């Protein structure tokens, strides 16, 4: 993508064996197939979390170096959200994480979310590699792990961290109870059956969210697409008449914009 040569790192490495490293994040598959919801890969009880419409961020925090780095799903730096970084480096946040994980650098696997819910607003500000001093965004966290474990999760052996690992539950609960302005933990439930997931999905959609991430309790943290995480996004279908179009701008000039 960086070379604009039309192939992914994985393809180039397979063909050329140059020692190229591919940046990856943990992802889930889709629970919908041909418009139908398929729960066959889900083992109950499970974890169901709100899926936010924002920017996925692997946020690296090194308290000794007083440094925070926000990385996109492709490993590129996102805007340095100053107020979020200040919260992460605060003594209160430092203590609640270090009480469980020790003093080494950690990674918050999270979503940078616009408080007004606008993905367009997120895209406008966060895709720039520069300081962002506004207060429109918050970091919604769903996994916290040591940086060393995050690196290891690309390799063998696979991580033993799961959605219900004791320190995960404790840290997410502590973040929620702390009441930070710019740092939140993901909203989640532990449904016992399919009907409860469906009820929760409806309430999430009614609240204006994108959908759910459904996670098997025994799925270890693994920086690739895994079968133990499934995303369920709201879908609806309409027959519409096209009444106009907009031309693309910038790099999309001379193409269809919308």
């Amino acid at each position: 993508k960086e070379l604009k040569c039309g192939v992914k790192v994985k393809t180039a490495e397979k063909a050329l064996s140059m020692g190229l490293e591919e940046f990856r994040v943990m992802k889930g598959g889709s629970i919908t197939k041909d418009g139908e919801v398929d729960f066959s890969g889900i083992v109950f009880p499970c974890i169901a979390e709100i899926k936010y419409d924002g920017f996925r961020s692997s946020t690296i925090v090194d308290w000794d170096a007083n440094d925070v780095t926000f990385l996109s799903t492709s490993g590129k730096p996102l805007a340095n959200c100053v107020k979020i970084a200040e919260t992460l480096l605060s003594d209160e946040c430092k203590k609640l994480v270090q009480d469980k994980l020790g003093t080494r650098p950690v990674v918050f696997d999270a979503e940078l979310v616009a408080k007004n819910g606008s993905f367009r607003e997120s895209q406008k500000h966060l895709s720039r590699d520069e300081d962002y001093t506004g207060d429109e965004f918050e970091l919604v966290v769903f996994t916290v792990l040591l940086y060393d474990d995050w690196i290891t999760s690309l390799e063998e052996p696979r991580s033993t961290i799961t959605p219900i690992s004791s320190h995960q539950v404790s840290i997410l609960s502590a973040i929620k109870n702390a009441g930070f302005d710019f740092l939140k933990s993901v909203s989640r439930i532990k449904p016992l059956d399919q009907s409860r997931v469906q009820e929760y999905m409806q309430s999430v959609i009614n609240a204006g969210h994108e959908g759910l991430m459904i996670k098997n309790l025994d799925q270890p943290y693994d920086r690739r697409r895994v079968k133990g995480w499934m995303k369920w996004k709201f879908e609806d279908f309409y027959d519409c008449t096209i009444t106009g179009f907009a031309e693309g701008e910038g790099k999309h000039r001379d193409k269809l914009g919308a």
Side-chain angles (χ1 to χ4, degrees):
K1 184 175 180 180
E2 287 297 301
L3 296 174
K4 303 185 186 305
C5 61
V7 297
K8 296 182 178 180
V9 170
K10 185 176 180 180
T11 303
E13 176 60 19
K14 186 175 181 179
L16 304 174
S17 300
M18 297 173 61
L20 300 174
E21 293 187 4
E22 181 183 16
F23 186 90
R24 294 196 301 267
V25 297
M26 188 169 182
K27 296 181 178 181
S30 175
I31 201 170
T32 55
K33 296 179 181 178
D34 300 323
E36 299 293 328
V37 180
D38 180 9
F39 282 94
S40 61
I42 302 300
V43 179
F44 292 97
C46 62
I47 293 291
E49 299 176 345
I50 292 178
K51 188 179 189 303
Y52 296 89
D53 188 14
F55 261 65
R56 179 79 172 272
S57 172
S58 299
T59 306
I60 304 168
V61 181
D62 186 339
W63 285 287
D64 288 341
N66 199 44
D67 182 68
V68 176
T69 303
F70 300 91
L71 298 178
S72 71
T73 54
S74 61
K76 296 180 67 175
L78 295 169
N80 175 39
C81 296
V82 173
K83 293 190 176 181
I84 296 175
E86 289 173 350
T87 301
L88 292 168
L89 293 172
S90 69
D91 289 340
E92 185 177 2
C93 182
K94 176 180 177 180
K95 184 178 187 308
L96 70 83
V97 175
Q98 291 189 347
D99 280 350
K100 302 298 180 183
L101 294 179
T103 60
R104 289 180 290 167
V106 301
V107 176
F108 290 76
D109 195 348
E111 195 91 2
L112 283 162
V113 180
K115 293 181 179 180
N116 65 7
S118 170
F119 181 78
R120 182 179 294 275
E121 191 72 14
S122 304
Q123 192 174 35
K124 180 173 70 174
H125 291 293
L126 299 180
S127 57
R128 304 169 182 167
D129 181 14
E130 58 187 34
D131 283 354
Y132 174 72
T133 58
D135 58 4
E136 288 92 346
F137 298 100
E138 59 189 8
L139 190 70
V140 181
V141 181
F142 42 86
T143 307
V144 184
L145 64 165
L146 289 171
Y147 176 81
D148 291 342
D149 289 338
W150 181 71
I151 293 295
T152 303
S153 64
L154 274 175
E155 308 161 352
E156 295 287 356
R158 298 286 180 256
S159 168
T160 58
I161 298 166
T162 71
I164 57 170
S165 296
S166 60
H167 70 271
Q168 289 299 313
V169 175
S170 297
I171 292 173
L172 292 180
S173 178
I175 290 174
K176 178 181 179 180
N177 294 333
F180 295 117
D181 289 333
F182 302 101
L183 181 66
K184 310 292 182 185
S185 59
V186 65
S187 295
R188 51 162 41 175
I189 65 169
K190 190 177 178 181
L192 298 177
D193 55 40
Q194 179 177 324
S195 63
R196 181 67 183 99
V197 176
Q198 291 171 322
E199 291 173 4
Y200 190 47
M201 176 64 167
Q202 189 59 56
S203 68
V204 164
I205 295 303
N206 291 343
H209 296 294
E210 190 177 43
L212 293 177
M213 286 298 300
I214 305 171
K215 303 178 179 181
N216 285 337
L217 301 184
D218 61 351
Q219 172 62 58
Y221 191 88
D222 194 353
R223 283 170 63 192
R224 65 197 72 225
R225 194 175 297 280
V226 298
K227 295 181 179 179
W229 280 18
M230 304 294 284
K231 59 184 175 183
W232 187 5
K233 296 175 68 173
F234 174 71
E235 294 180 338
D236 210 346
F237 300 91
Y238 303 91
D239 292 324
C240 303
T241 300
I242 297 174
T243 59
F245 69 94
E247 294 186 16
E249 300 177 355
K251 67 178 182 180
H252 300 295
R253 187 177 178 181
D254 298 326
K255 300 177 183 178
L256 180 64

